[in-house]
Amino acid sequence: MTDLSADIGLSGRSHIKRAVYQNRALSREGLLERLFALLFTGLVYPQIWEDPEVDMEAMQLGEGHRVVTIASGGCNVLSYLTRSPARIDAVDLNTAHVALNRLKLAALRHLPSQGDFFRFFGAAGNAHNLMAYDRFLAPHLDASTRRYWEMRDLRGRRRISVFGRDFYRTGLLGWCIGAGHLAARLHGVNPAEILEANDLRAQRIFFAEQLGTLFDRRFIRWATSKKASLFGLGIPPAQYDALAGDMTMADVLRERVRKLACDFPLNSNYFAWQAFARRYPQPGEAALPPYLAAENFTTIRANADRVTVHHVNFVELLARKPEASVDRYVLLDAQDWMTDAQLEALWSEITRTAAPGARVIFRTAAAPSLLPGRVSDAILSQWRYEEEASAEFSARDRSAIYGGFHLYLKRD
């Protein structure tokens, strides 16, 4: 497949600026936006924080479907391959995410076994991963992706060496979860102890007595009131306001952590393992992301060549596609960042390229869909919002961080 952006070594900073900047540079909000954009040029998501099983069910994803999705950490892109779609175009403005997705695809194609693949992306870190990279992966990477992973940090270590330690404790998300653990421990709570709960009742007791009380602490309420405190979750200033609504951020986060801790059994929710234990379960210990499950490896490896990773934004990619050429769209929470003009441009291209029966899924920080009143009726009238199904999928999303999951279907 031909990639629209062969050299990811070119900085994505200009793309990110256009996506994030909404205020004057010297205003308070403008300064926060610029700080966020600077942080977002590095690795943000070592793993994606949206539930791929909910995604695949909502999309009714199957063979023959042509998908355009935001890449992020790549977990969901590979998980979608379990349904054998015809093609997946994964786009991202962040060069680190592009490099991570291409590394995962190379590993899927060239590591000797599923065990080697799991050790690389599912375990907490193993020095053998560095030897596997040099022997099996580096020779198959494009020059810019290889340059990214072999660049050295201030201590002289190659970036790829993080897979010999613990990749999931890196990036803005990894650091944010780590900061949350540090704050909890300073207040006498060890979040990992929830893994000792053997049923939902015990999980709910632990939340009520331990985790939930943290959000009443003065320091945590003060810290979470600052917009920069959620940059580690990839939440820009504009999305912070949507997420908070009429509540304090501490109370919003308490409810999201409650859902994560209390609404799903721990043995079925690997998002809770990452949040509370800072790792994925080992095979047989609890559920894993679909792309890391041993029973899916043969299928996703056979389908790896159906994915192309692009260093462009969603609208740029769609503008190069013919009419009626896409069946499924995955926007993650990117629209929370957008102005009305950007939303109009996005949905204009989605509508033009949508094949009959096309489906669009996305998430929002707040519960309601953000499209009514912001995208023109001429465009939005061509889509049907599945309100009841959206509410059901939102409740079932094990990642628990978003206020709403939304499904739109192209009208006949």
Short mmCIF file of all heavy atoms in Angstrom, two decimals, residues 65 92 188 340 386 409:
data_model
loop_
_atom_site.label_atom_id
_atom_site.label_comp_id
_atom_site.label_asym_id
_atom_site.label_seq_id
_atom_site.Cartn_x
_atom_site.Cartn_y
_atom_site.Cartn_z
N HIS A 65 -15.35 -4.24 4.86
CA HIS A 65 -15.50 -2.85 5.26
C HIS A 65 -14.19 -2.07 5.10
O HIS A 65 -13.11 -2.58 5.41
CB HIS A 65 -15.98 -2.76 6.71
CG HIS A 65 -17.41 -3.12 6.87
ND1 HIS A 65 -17.90 -3.75 7.99
CD2 HIS A 65 -18.48 -2.95 6.04
CE1 HIS A 65 -19.20 -3.94 7.86
NE2 HIS A 65 -19.58 -3.48 6.68
N ASP A 92 -2.90 10.02 12.12
CA ASP A 92 -2.55 10.68 13.37
C ASP A 92 -1.64 11.85 13.08
O ASP A 92 -0.80 11.78 12.17
CB ASP A 92 -1.86 9.71 14.34
CG ASP A 92 -2.17 10.06 15.79
OD1 ASP A 92 -1.63 11.07 16.29
OD2 ASP A 92 -2.94 9.32 16.42
N GLY A 188 -2.26 7.62 51.69
CA GLY A 188 -2.43 6.34 52.36
C GLY A 188 -3.23 5.30 51.60
O GLY A 188 -3.67 4.30 52.20
N ASP A 340 -16.43 25.09 15.35
CA ASP A 340 -17.57 24.78 14.49
C ASP A 340 -17.13 24.65 13.02
O ASP A 340 -17.63 23.78 12.29
CB ASP A 340 -18.62 25.89 14.60
CG ASP A 340 -19.30 25.90 15.96
OD1 ASP A 340 -18.97 25.04 16.81
OD2 ASP A 340 -20.17 26.76 16.18
N GLU A 386 -28.29 7.34 16.50
CA GLU A 386 -28.83 6.19 17.22
C GLU A 386 -28.73 6.46 18.72
O GLU A 386 -27.79 6.01 19.39
CB GLU A 386 -28.07 4.92 16.83
CG GLU A 386 -28.21 4.54 15.37
CD GLU A 386 -29.63 4.09 15.05
OE1 GLU A 386 -30.15 3.18 15.73
OE2 GLU A 386 -30.23 4.68 14.12
N LEU A 409 -25.61 6.81 11.69
CA LEU A 409 -25.76 5.97 10.51
C LEU A 409 -26.15 6.83 9.31
O LEU A 409 -26.98 7.75 9.43
CB LEU A 409 -26.86 4.93 10.72
CG LEU A 409 -26.49 3.61 11.39
CD1 LEU A 409 -25.95 3.84 12.80
CD2 LEU A 409 -27.69 2.67 11.44
#
